[in-house]
Amino acid sequence: MDQIQFKRHRRLRKSAAMRAMVRETHLHAEDFIYPLFIVEGENKRNEISSMPGAFQISLDLLKDEIDEIKNLGLKAVILFGVPDEKDSCGTGAYIDEGIVQQATRLIKEQAPELLVIADTCLCEYTDHGHCGVVEEGYVQNDPSLELLVKTAVSQAEAGADIIAPSNMMDGFVAAIRKGLDEAGFLEVPIMSYAVKYSSAFYGPFREAANSAPQFGDRKTYQMDPANRLEALREAQSDMEEGADMLIVKPALSYLDIIRDVRNEFNAPVIAYNVSGEYSLIKAASINGWIDEKATAMEMLTSIKRAGADMIITYYAKDAARWLQET
C-alpha cells in the first residue's frame, strides 16, 4: 500500500455530521410551490385516484388547507380551476366569478402574505380540452392570445401575485405583458412556462384538472421531448418578451434542460415536478417497493441540484413536513 497514491474522499463522508457540513445542495420549505385544484360546490375534498394524497378542494374547505400550508412554512401556491361548465372558448377562465378568481380573493383575504400564482391557460375551461381557440381541428395561435390576455388580466384583478401562462402559444408572454401593463398591473410578474414538453408524464394531471383533450393531442404547441436546443430558443424568446421567471416542465426527465436554462439565463428558474413523476413514487411506495420519503427527497434534491431555484411539486407539503422533522 505504501507505493499506491490515491485521494481519500471518504474522509468527508465519515459521519452524519461531517456529511451535513459539506453538503452542497439544501432543500427548504420556501423552495416549494404547492399546486391546488379548486372545484365548484361545497364540502368537496376529492382524492385524485391516480395521485394518492392529492385532492380537488372546494372553496369552502380552502381555509383549512391554507392554514396547513402556512404552518408548514410554504410561501406560494399555484391555482388550477376545475369548473362545472365549459365552452369552446374557455369563458370560465376569464370571468370575474371564475373559480380561480374566487379562490384567489379568498386566499388573499385570509393570508395576504402567501403568494398566489395563477396558472393562465384555457384547457381546464374549454369543452375540447385544448389550450386555445380551435378552428377546423387546429389550435389557432393569435386568436388564442386575446383570450389568454383577458384571463391574465382577470386573474391579476382578483389579486394574483404572479401570472403563470402555460399555454405555449407563440408570443404569449409579449401579449400578456402588454395586456397587464395596459390594465395597470406593471408590477405583476410573469412566471412563464417557457419550456414545456409534450410529455406522457402529464397523465394524472388531466384527471385532476379534468383537462384531457377531446381530440388529437398537444404536440403542435408543446415541445418535442427529443429537442434540447429548442428549449433555449423558447426561453430566449420569453425573456425578450418580458418574462420574469422561467419554468421547465417536466422536471425529472429533463434535468439536463434545467441545467441548460440555469446556465444560459440570469433569471429565476422553476422546475415543475409533474403529476406522473409524483404518481410513480406514490405507486411504488404503496406497493412497498421503495421508501417514499427517501426517494421523494432524493428526487427533489436532484431537481434543485440541476439548477432549479424553486420547484412546483405535489410533494410540497410532505417535503416541508419531513424537513421540519429533521
Side-chain angles (χ1 to χ4, degrees), residues 244-296:
D244 301 281
M245 295 173 270
L246 301 171
I247 296 176
V248 177
K249 179 183 181 182
L252 195 57
S253 292
Y254 299 84
L255 297 177
D256 59 325
I257 307 300
I258 295 170
R259 173 48 57 186
D260 285 345
V261 173
R262 170 71 286 151
N263 289 344
E264 189 72 18
F265 300 102
N266 185 23
V269 176
I270 298 90
Y272 197 143
N273 177 215
V274 300
S275 59
E277 297 166 349
Y278 170 87
S279 295
L280 287 173
I281 293 178
K282 277 290 184 180
S285 66
I286 288 170
N287 280 284
W289 298 335
I290 60 173
D291 181 314
E292 180 182 14
K293 174 183 175 181
T295 306

Side-chain angles (χ1 to χ4, degrees), residues 149 153 157 174-187:
V149 171
V153 171
E157 288 174 343
I176 289 173
R177 183 72 273 160
K178 182 174 184 289
L180 289 172
D181 290 353
E182 289 179 349
F185 297 106
L186 286 79
E187 300 299 321

Side-chain angles (χ1 to χ4, degrees), residues 304-319:
K304 190 171 183 187
R305 188 188 65 236
D309 298 290
M310 291 158 278
I311 306 170
I312 302 171
T313 178
Y314 305 97
Y315 267 115
K317 291 198 298 185
D318 289 330

